């Protein structure tokens, strides 16, 4: 885990600094075997860490199920018939993780946590007070990327770009393969940000949570309730590994239906995390599904979970109840 000494060194050395010891020469990854992350070969002493992820080798593509944005009046809406992007995270192979690894690339206005280790003795993560990071993307002409993110990568009670900035600053800076020296001497500022955003979307496109659940008869409803095991089974059938399902809302044993129960899981479906390992660079998309490493926060009692419909005014194109699929999942 990176400590305050390494972070301080990165701040002192500037943009050419390496968090993981890579050179800032060109890295020809075609010459490096596509070792699987978290394997014995993914060792930074044996392989180029720009070409094989050697630190955060257990990846999570995470998604939200929100029912509103809080900024509907400003035109910030949720997509019909789709979950939305949360992020792409690099856990250590044992399931632990680090965060805010390079404070020279800190664009998060509201760091959470506000220290690098989440503890009072950690290095303080200074809040970003600069411009909307959309301005970092437009010089590359990726207007299609921005349009896609504004449709499927949606913040709640905050502007979309703040969520993007948080995900990049907290998580992308902890990948060895997104480290600045990996882009070589012709690096263009903020290309690492664009690279991370595109990579996150690459995995999201492969993981149509809404469709997979709907194919099993599990659809948003304000009246029907669902069971955790059935939802996990539906997603495992398609993904070939069990993802983590996260729930919010009241605990089951605090509800009228669960009074007296020992089940203290929460009851409102809100998130899914897909775990995987990757061959070579995660940017290349050669991944292998992995079983969730933890335990769902959802209630386990039969019929205890609500998968709420979205608010009618929160969905692009109307309520979404009769909306057709965007088709973006078929790429």
């Amino acid at each position: 885990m990176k400590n305050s000494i390494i972070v301080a060194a990165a701040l002192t050395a500037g943009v050419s600094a390496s968090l993981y010891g890579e050179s800032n020469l060109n890295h020809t990854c075609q010459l490096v075997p596509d070792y699987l992350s978290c394997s014995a070969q993914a060792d930074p002493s044996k392989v180029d860490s720009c070409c094989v992820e050697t630190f955060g080798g257990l990846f999570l593509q995470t998604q939200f199920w929100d029912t509103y944005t809080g900024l509907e009046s400003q035109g910030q809406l949720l997509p019909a018939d789709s979950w939305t992007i949360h992020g792409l995270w690099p856990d250590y192979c044992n399931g632990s993780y680090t965060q805010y690894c390079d404070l020279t690339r800190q664009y998060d206005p509201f760091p959470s946590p506000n220290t690098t280790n989440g503890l009072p003795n950690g290095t303080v993560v200074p809040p970003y007070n600069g411009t909307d990071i959309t301005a970092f993307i437009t010089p590359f002409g990726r207007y299609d990327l921005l349009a896609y993110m504004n449709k499927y990568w949606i913040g709640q009670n905050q502007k979309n770009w703040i969520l993007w900035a948080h995900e990049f600053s907290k998580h992308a800076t902890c990948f060895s393969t997104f480290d600045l020296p990996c882009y070589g001497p012709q690096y263009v500022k903020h290309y690492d940000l664009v690279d991370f955003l595109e990579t996150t979307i690459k995995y999201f496109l492969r993981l149509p949570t809404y469709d997979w659940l709907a194919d099993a008869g599990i659809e948003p409803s304000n009246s029907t309730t669902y069971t955790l095991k059935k939802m996990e089974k539906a997603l495992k059938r398609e993904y070939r590994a069990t993802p983590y399902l996260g729930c919010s809302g009241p605990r089951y044993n605090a509800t009228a239906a669960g009074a007296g129960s020992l089940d203290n899981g929460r009851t409102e479906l809100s998130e899914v995390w897909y775990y995987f390992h990757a061959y070579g660079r995660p940017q290349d998309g050669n991944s292998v599904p992995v079983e969730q490493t933890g335990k769902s926060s959802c209630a386990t009692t039969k019929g205890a979970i609500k998968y709420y419909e979205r608010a009618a005014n929160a969905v692009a194109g109307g309520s979404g109840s009769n909306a057709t699929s965007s088709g973006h999942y078929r790429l």
Side-chain angles (χ1 to χ4, degrees):
M1 182 176 292
K2 284 165 279 300
N3 56 30
S4 59
I5 295 176
I6 294 177
V7 172
L11 286 168
T12 301
V15 295
S16 64
S18 170
L19 295 173
Y20 302 104
E22 304 94 346
S23 75
N24 63 355
L25 302 176
N26 286 319
H27 295 260
T28 307
C29 292
Q30 288 84 351
L31 303 178
V32 180
D34 285 338
Y35 293 132
L36 186 66
S37 63
C38 293
S39 69
Q41 293 86 1
D43 182 332
S45 68
K46 300 176 182 178
V47 71
D48 187 341
S49 292
C50 290
C51 301
V52 176
E53 185 59 50
T54 59
F55 292 89
L58 177 62
F59 308 109
L60 292 77
Q61 198 289 300
T62 58
Q63 301 177 19
F64 281 131
W65 179 258
D66 290 327
T67 58
Y68 67 96
T69 72
L71 297 177
E72 287 83 1
S73 64
Q74 299 178 35
Q76 186 165 303
L77 303 174
L78 297 165
D81 301 341
S82 175
W83 286 49
T84 59
I85 301 170
H86 184 169
L88 183 68
W89 304 346
D91 279 12
Y92 290 130
C93 297
N94 64 6
S96 63
Y97 61 92
T98 187
Q99 56 207 357
Y100 295 108
C101 296
D102 183 358
L103 297 183
T104 68
R105 295 184 285 167
Q106 185 347 56
Y107 309 127
D108 186 350
F110 308 103
S112 177
N114 62 1
T115 65
T116 54
N117 64 2
L119 301 173
N121 66 351
T123 300
V124 173
V125 180
Y128 173 72
N129 60 4
T131 184
D132 177 340
I133 67 165
T134 298
F136 301 165
I137 304 169
T138 53
F140 293 92
R142 305 294 176 85
Y143 296 102
D144 55 343
L145 174 66
L146 282 170
Y148 187 91
M149 292 195 301
N150 276 312
K151 186 173 183 179
Y152 294 104
W153 202 336
I154 309 300
Q156 187 177 52
N157 295 316
Q158 62 182 3
K159 293 182 178 180
N160 293 336
W161 76 265
I162 295 175
L163 174 59
W164 311 338
H166 170 79
E167 292 302 308
F168 175 82
S169 302
K170 183 173 181 177
H171 300 293
T173 60
C174 298
F175 286 79
S176 70
T177 53
F178 287 107
D179 202 9
L180 286 184
C182 296
Y183 295 94
Q186 294 183 321
Y187 166 73
V188 176
K189 191 173 183 179
H190 300 311
Y191 180 72
D192 50 320
L193 169 66
V194 174
D195 196 19
F196 172 73
L197 298 174
E198 290 186 327
T199 301
T200 302
I201 289 170
K202 175 181 292 187
Y203 288 101
F204 175 70
L205 286 166
R206 300 175 177 180
L207 300 167
T209 304
Y210 186 95
D211 291 348
W212 286 348
L213 290 175
D215 287 346
I218 302 170
E219 298 185 276
S221 172
N222 291 340
S223 56
T224 303
T225 57
Y226 298 104
T227 302
L228 176 63
K229 283 187 177 181
K230 289 188 176 181
M231 292 190 293
E232 288 179 334
K233 182 178 179 181
L235 296 177
K236 182 175 183 177
R237 182 172 59 245
E238 301 291 347
Y239 187 57
R240 302 293 184 255
T242 308
Y244 167 91
L245 286 173
C247 287
S248 57
R251 297 186 183 278
Y252 181 67
N253 58 8
T255 66
S261 170
L262 297 178
D263 185 352
N264 68 347
R266 297 193 180 273
T267 52
E268 298 175 6
L269 185 63
S270 58
E271 192 155 17
V272 61
W273 302 353
Y274 294 95
Y275 290 78
F276 61 95
H277 292 148
Y279 287 101
R281 302 188 318 149
Q283 291 97 309
D284 298 327
N286 300 317
S287 61
V288 177
V290 175
E291 288 284 315
Q292 64 172 315
T293 61
K295 179 182 177 183
S296 173
S297 61
C298 300
T300 57
T301 301
K302 183 177 180 180
I305 299 174
K306 298 174 181 178
Y307 180 16
Y308 280 123
E309 298 174 34
R310 286 174 166 154
N313 70 335
V315 180
S319 68
S321 59
N322 296 314
T324 58
S325 173
S326 66
H328 71 284
Y329 292 131
R330 310 306 178 199
L331 300 180

